[in-house]
Amino acid sequence: MTPDQAESIYRRGLIAAQAGRWAEAQDLLAQAITARPGVAVWWANYGLVLESQGDVPGAAQAYAGALNLDGGLAMAMDGLLVMAETLTAAGRADLAEGCYRRAIALSPATLAALVNAGNLLRAQARRAESAALHRRAAHIEPDSWIPTYNIGNALAEMNRPGEADRAYRAGLCLEPSRVELWANRPSGSRAPRARIGDASAALDRAP
């Protein structure tokens, strides 16, 4: 098959997909990819077709294939992360973790992959691994309070209240009004005078 023929078959596959003829679209796109496997966006659209048919593992593989060719292809990364979330909701944490690991390996600075993977691991009580991923997220996005909040949660569950409090305080330096950070600070890690100071400050902020 010539490159022009593969392009023509790919376009026919897109037309079939737009018309909702998913099986036909899948077959045509697979033919085009077999002839020209090095086109990232073709893999990404193949993933969309598989996703539309409920083939979550197949779609994840297709999105990852696209990212192997072009790590900056946003539609492929978005698709892979959606598949990870779908697998998490379906109770397939093992497959979801695989998707997140693949996303991180292919694009290490993808904040959503790091944060979501960290939250998935924390839900499995793998808190040290979770905190490590959230620290990477904090390094990538130092102006966001979310990674420090998640680090604090993991540390608090590891019975390390002093370190957890430092993480929450770092988040409060970025977003002083976040209720989550104030609520989760481990009060037992601070001296009574400090806790009284917090209460006074809260009263001062009250309307």
Side-chain angles (χ1 to χ4, degrees):
M1 185 185 299
T2 68
D4 286 345
Q5 288 172 325
E7 179 79 28
S8 177
I9 289 173
Y10 169 73
R11 291 182 182 277
R12 285 167 53 199
L14 288 185
I15 291 169
Q18 289 167 354
R21 302 194 304 272
W22 301 116
E24 179 186 350
Q26 179 179 340
D27 180 62
L28 290 168
L29 293 179
Q31 289 182 49
I33 289 170
T34 299
R36 289 182 60 191
V39 186
V41 72
W42 291 13
W43 282 97
N45 281 316
Y46 187 53
L48 284 172
V49 169
L50 294 173
E51 179 183 344
S52 298
Q53 297 182 93
D55 184 357
V56 176
Q61 283 294 106
Y63 291 133
L67 290 167
N68 276 327
L69 296 167
D70 181 357
L73 187 60
M75 66 179 292
M77 180 58 74
D78 290 345
L80 185 56
L81 294 180
V82 168
M83 293 304 92
E85 292 171 10
T86 301
L87 289 164
T88 300
R92 295 306 309 270
D94 54 336
L95 295 179
E97 182 182 348
C99 289
Y100 286 129
R101 297 288 187 189
R102 191 78 177 272
I104 293 166
L106 293 168
S107 184
T110 301
L111 186 67
L114 291 166
V115 170
N116 291 345
N119 290 338
L120 178 69
L121 294 177
R122 180 180 162 228
Q124 298 175 60
R126 293 161 62 185
R127 299 179 183 97
E129 294 174 80
S130 172
L133 288 175
H134 288 304
R135 287 190 182 97
R136 289 176 61 181
H139 180 73
I140 291 167
E141 195 73 25
D143 294 331
S144 173
W145 65 275
I146 294 173
T148 58
Y149 170 70
N150 288 323
I151 293 166
N153 289 340
L155 291 169
E157 291 173 2
M158 294 165 70
N159 197 29
R160 292 158 64 178
E163 293 172 76
D165 190 47
R166 284 194 291 274
Y168 292 133
R169 283 191 282 115
L172 286 168
C173 289
L174 298 168
E175 288 284 346
S177 63
R178 295 305 309 192
V179 174
E180 302 95 323
L181 293 163
W182 284 104
N184 283 25
R185 289 189 69 190
S187 59
S189 68
R190 302 192 307 285
R193 182 175 294 178
R195 300 205 299 274
I196 291 170
D198 286 349
S200 298
L203 286 173
D204 290 340
R205 289 194 302 273

